[in-house]
Amino acid sequence: MPEENGNGGANGNGGANGNGSANGNGKERVGLLQRVKAGVQADVQALKTDIPTKAKEQMDGLKDPTKTQVYTSIFRHKHDDTPRNRALGILSNVFLHLHPAKINRDAVRYSYTWGMGGITFYLFIVLTFTGALLMFYYHPTKVQAFRDVLYLEHDVPFGKLLRNMHRWAAHLMVIGVWLHMFRVFLTGSYKKPREFNWNVGVILLVLTLLLSFTGYLLPDDQLGFWAVTVGTNMARATPGLGNEGPFGPQMGMTPYNDVRFGLLGGSIVDANALLRSYIWHCIGIPIVASIFMIVHFWRVRKDGGISGPAPVMLEAEGDKPRR
């Protein structure tokens, strides 16, 4: 009997502990559910407030791209209406630092500059791109050259368009350089302190004409053959460098060592002339022209802008006192 009472006491104690554990677990579960429910409600409430905020930020970014993170990661300084931040925005950017921090507002008007310098450079980029594509289909040999041109025009998809883009861009580049120099002359932009850059521009004009001339022979047709024949015959009269020019014989020039012989690689327009025209047109002259263009753009900035020498005032500002 005492043992049974002892067991019963033990069972009673065990039942009491079991009930306590169940009650404790139930309370913990209820508390956990309440916390989860409260957390979900807090998240839903946060979404209700965050989504409109995010949407407003996106709309503001579309209205003003300068406020977006992408823009601020590229342009490190704000474009504020302060001279210091404007200058820092130009000087600290790899794309914009080529331009001066301050320019004359009137100097960038299209009615004043015609935009011929930028248009000419754009045409040079077009010529470089289309020329690189044309090189995939061209062989500078007497047997293949003209056949490649015919194949390009009649069999290659968009080949005729590609060749005409290259040809017309070349013509437009020559016209653009002439108009650019004409504008520079009219506005007196060749005067002090821009004399050196004017001379660089003259060299670029000559290189542009040489690019056009060397490209004339590459189709190896009758037009290119006789054009190069006439042009190189004219080179024989170059002063000091041609065997028929002034001071040429005194400099020891003969038909076999003068500038014409150097251009053609011989005495006649044949395979050597075609190969030399190809190398000068695709490699030699573009590299030299690129170097001079870099110097030209750099001097534009260092000389104080693209126009001058006298400041220009708009008609609307004629009645206002000048600062």
Side-chain angles (χ1 to χ4, degrees):
M1 293 299 292
E3 292 178 357
E4 292 177 359
N5 293 333
N7 291 332
N11 292 332
N13 291 335
N17 291 333
N19 293 333
S21 297
N23 293 333
N25 291 334
K27 292 179 180 180
E28 290 178 359
R29 290 173 184 172
V30 172
L32 179 61
L33 290 173
Q34 290 177 348
R35 289 195 298 270
V36 171
K37 185 178 180 180
V40 171
Q41 291 178 349
D43 292 339
V44 171
Q45 188 65 27
L47 288 175
K48 290 181 179 180
T49 57
D50 289 346
I51 290 178
T53 303
K54 296 284 187 182
K56 187 176 182 301
E57 291 178 357
Q58 294 294 332
M59 293 301 296
D60 293 341
L62 293 175
K63 294 178 181 178
D64 188 5
T66 60
K67 303 297 183 183
T68 60
Q69 184 178 358
V70 176
Y71 183 90
T72 55
S73 65
I74 300 174
F75 302 94
R76 298 174 55 194
H77 294 276
K78 297 180 181 179
H79 187 68
D80 294 334
D81 292 333
T82 59
R84 182 177 183 276
N85 278 339
R86 286 181 175 180
L88 288 175
I90 297 295
L91 298 175
S92 62
N93 185 268
V94 67
F95 301 107
L96 301 179
H97 81 280
L98 296 175
H99 301 281
K102 293 183 179 181
I103 61 173
N104 186 356
R105 181 178 61 181
D106 306 323
V108 294
R109 292 185 301 159
Y110 279 102
S111 60
Y112 188 80
T113 65
W114 304 343
M116 282 298 140
I119 292 174
T120 303
F121 180 67
Y122 168 75
L123 291 171
F124 179 79
I125 298 298
V126 172
L127 286 167
T128 303
F129 179 72
T130 55
L133 296 179
L134 289 172
M135 291 171 69
F136 285 105
Y137 300 98
Y138 182 80
H139 299 80
T141 62
K142 295 295 290 185
V143 176
Q144 285 291 114
F146 187 67
R147 294 180 182 179
D148 289 340
V149 174
L150 295 178
Y151 172 70
L152 185 71
E153 288 196 345
H154 299 289
D155 295 324
V156 176
F158 302 103
K160 191 169 186 178
L161 174 64
L162 181 64
R163 188 195 173 203
N164 286 332
M165 285 179 62
H166 191 78
R167 182 175 63 180
W168 282 105
H171 297 331
L172 291 174
M173 184 176 176
V174 174
I175 297 173
V177 172
W178 278 110
L179 290 176
H180 177 57
M181 300 195 71
F182 182 60
R183 194 280 304 173
V184 171
F185 180 79
L186 288 180
T187 57
S189 299
Y190 60 91
K191 299 178 182 179
K192 185 179 180 180
R194 298 178 176 86
E195 310 97 316
F196 174 76
N197 214 20
W198 169 263
N199 292 322
V200 174
V202 173
I203 295 175
L204 285 172
L205 171 63
V206 175
L207 292 174
T208 302
L209 297 176
L210 287 176
L211 278 172
S212 181
F213 180 75
T214 52
Y216 225 82
L217 182 61
L218 298 186
D220 199 30
D221 53 3
Q222 286 293 311
L223 179 63
F225 175 84
W226 291 110
V228 173
T229 300
V230 173
T232 53
N233 285 339
M234 293 169 60
R236 292 186 298 186
T238 304
L241 298 177
N243 68 90
E244 296 180 1
F247 310 108
Q250 289 78 6
M251 299 293 294
M253 295 298 167
T254 66
Y256 304 101
N257 66 357
D258 64 350
V259 63
R260 179 179 183 274
F261 189 88
L263 290 174
L264 297 178
S267 302
I268 58 175
V269 180
D270 59 355
N272 287 336
L274 181 62
L275 181 61
R276 293 200 176 195
S277 294
Y278 178 77
I279 295 174
W280 278 115
H281 184 76
C282 299
I283 301 175
I285 299 177
I287 291 176
V288 177
S290 298
I291 295 173
F292 276 98
M293 278 190 285
I294 293 172
V295 175
H296 191 65
F297 299 153
W298 173 71
R299 288 295 303 199
V300 168
R301 173 182 173 178
K302 291 299 181 180
D303 292 339
I306 59 178
S307 297
V312 178
M313 185 170 58
L314 295 174
E315 295 180 359
E317 298 177 345
D319 298 333
K320 297 180 181 180
R322 299 192 66 180
R323 296 181 181 180

